[in-house]
Amino acid sequence: MHPFADFIHEMQQLERSPLASQGSLILDAFTRHTRFDNGALYLRDARGSELRLAAKSQQCVAPEILHGDAQSALQPSPKVVVPLQSNREAVGVLALAREGEDVDDDDVAFVRAGAAFLSTLITNQRLLQETREGDFQLKYRLWELESLYDIGLSIASTLNVDELADEILFRMISLTNARRAALFLRDASTGGFTLYRSFGDIPADFLEQELSEGKPLTFENGTVVAVPIKGSNDAVIGVLAAAERETREGGIGAFEENELRLLALFANQVAIALENARLHRQALEKQAMERELELAATIQRDILPKAIPQMEGIEIAALSRPARQVGGDYHAFFIRDGVLTALVADVAGKSMPAALLVSALHAVIQLLFAEGREIGEIATELNRHIHRWSAENKFITMIMVSIDPEAETIQFVNAGHNPAYMITNGRIDTMKSHGLPIGILPQTRYLAQTRPFPAGSCAVLYSDGITEAEDVAGEEFENARLEALLQEHVDCNASLVRDQIADAVDAFVGEAPQKDDQTLVVVRRA
Amino acid sequence: MTEELKVAVDRRGTSGAILYTKGYINNVGGEEIASRAYELMEGDVRSLLLNLRETKIVNSIGISILIEIIEKMIDKGGRIGFCCLTPVIHKTFQIMGLANYASIFTDEDQAVKEMGLAS
């Protein structure tokens, strides 16, 4: 084979691996196929502009980086210096020498032709490398976008924060080439950050530093980065941290701008996942609470009288409007030995705690009436029971009246309740409180008071939800309006009195929301 | 979870092997796999299966190294397969082009059968 063809064949064999790493083999091929016996090969780094020594013969003294003229930089001085030049750029320099004797033109021509072939090979290899690198980068960007898209889908399809946290952490590590990463969440009780998920160890001691400002922070020459996770109110609810970004050269480097941007995007995804989970948790809690309230409301509806009792010579009308699903107002009627007893009570508080106390009140009252006790004694026993079995801040205001048509009397016990009204012979009088509310002190005794209650008399019992009903401006209905209404309707039947009061309260309140339970009981002797 | 990658080798006949990886395929982990894979290739292994059942994370440098291993095996006229990939890694391999030059199997049994790896 012709020596040059032989040389080309050798070069083609080298082509399969990066030529830059095969400097000594290239130099060896030139010295074997020509009469040159030493020299040096410089190649320009694909990323840099310096000509770096790729290979040299043993007897050649050559600097690591070639600045300026190779002729004067190398020892022995080269006989031929050939730039390795592609149509785009200079890719290197080949310098060859021969000790002792001269070389002829054929050798120089061989070297020039070989160098031209080598230049093309190196350029082609670099172009191929650049194309592959570009292709890899494009795919990497696609991977990045697909990952963010997939996380979005995961967030939409699951509310399991544990699973999402793992997925986000793993994807973040993959895409930033980090060796370690961690997700810290703020502990609502201590205000500090606690480790939620991690891959490798990341110290938490840096987390309190300026993260409240909500900006990404870098530590240890940029090799550790912490990105705040902001909640819906812009407060920092967690931190996503990554450390030790790997470089392609095999070392550890600082995180770059695009990686910080990517980390910030992942932090946003975590924020969305946490917010979704929080809202879902809240919705579940609300549903559970609504179910409880609905159940309690059902129980309370069963407690309140389903129908007005019928008693000869007595008209009874009642109204009950709970402000929420479960209220604190209670009313009841008892008929025993020709005597009607009506009571209206208001339990302190609202919702479930109030409903539970109303249930207790209902049970005890039923038992005490069944025992045949008179109303003063019933109130005294009820007070003892409620005080013993209820929480300290629980109490009940209560007005209880017993109307005896035969004796033409009304007995009442008012335990801290609003004054009830009694209309007798066209005159309005009040049945004011004469004792503490039920459940305040254990030894309180209640004595019933007795008044005449001739035919045509009317008793009006109500809860403060009637007199304290507010209009849109916050003004209360007040007792004066109630008394004026009663004055206008002294001779009306019980149902009409009830309806007039209810309509007047509604008209007064207008569009304002009902803030408290409203209970009204009207009892009239025919 | 462990950061360091561990590799176990199961030789299958004279020309086959399975590499089991556990941990993160990053630069360090990728080099560990490459070192074992090249050792096997030097020993005339031409059907190499990588079981990634215990690997949850792979980064771009790890992928570059896996591509190099695939290319070297193709140069030698052999074949590389992957099995037991997590859905995330499976998708990553598809996007990054590994699936174009290596076979991807759902499980090891299927891979062993299709790659003709002796048991």
Side-chain angles (χ1 to χ4, degrees), chain B residues 35-100:
Chain B
S35 148
R36 299 296 190 94
Y38 297 153
E39 234 175 70
L40 291 166
M41 286 184 213
E42 290 304 313
D44 289 335
V45 165
R46 293 294 177 264
S47 280
L48 181 62
L49 175 67
L50 278 86
N51 184 328
L52 271 53
R53 190 176 56 228
E54 293 190 76
T55 285
K56 302 277 186 288
I57 314 178
V58 53
N59 72 8
S60 67
I61 300 171
I63 284 172
S64 303
I65 296 171
L66 291 177
I67 291 171
E68 282 171 22
I69 298 171
I70 294 169
E71 285 176 346
K72 280 214 165 64
M73 184 59 106
I74 290 171
D75 278 352
K76 288 184 181 292
R79 180 186 184 189
I80 296 263
F82 293 94
C83 73
C84 308
L85 309 180
T86 66
V88 172
I89 292 180
H90 190 177
K91 188 167 182 181
T92 303
F93 279 13
Q94 282 180 323
I95 293 170
M96 298 305 287
L98 277 79
N100 297 338

Side-chain angles (χ1 to χ4, degrees), chain A residues 16 132 136 139-140 142-143 146 150 170-171 173-174 177-180 199-201 246-248 250, chain B residues 1-3 24 26-28 56-61 63-64 67 71 75 88 91-92 95-97:
Chain A
R16 299 190 73 84
R132 287 171 59 130
F136 190 87
K139 286 174 175 165
Y140 177 78
L142 181 62
W143 178 19
E146 284 282 340
D150 285 346
F170 287 176
R171 287 184 187 270
I173 291 166
S174 296
N177 290 328
R179 283 196 179 156
R180 295 179 284 131
F199 185 83
D201 295 327
E246 288 190 333
T247 63
R248 290 190 178 273
Chain B
M1 183 177 287
T2 176
E3 293 165 74
Y24 183 14
N26 55 0
N27 197 350
V28 182
K56 302 277 186 288
I57 314 178
V58 53
N59 72 8
S60 67
I61 300 171
I63 284 172
S64 303
I67 291 171
E71 285 176 346
D75 278 352
V88 172
K91 188 167 182 181
T92 303
I95 293 170
M96 298 305 287

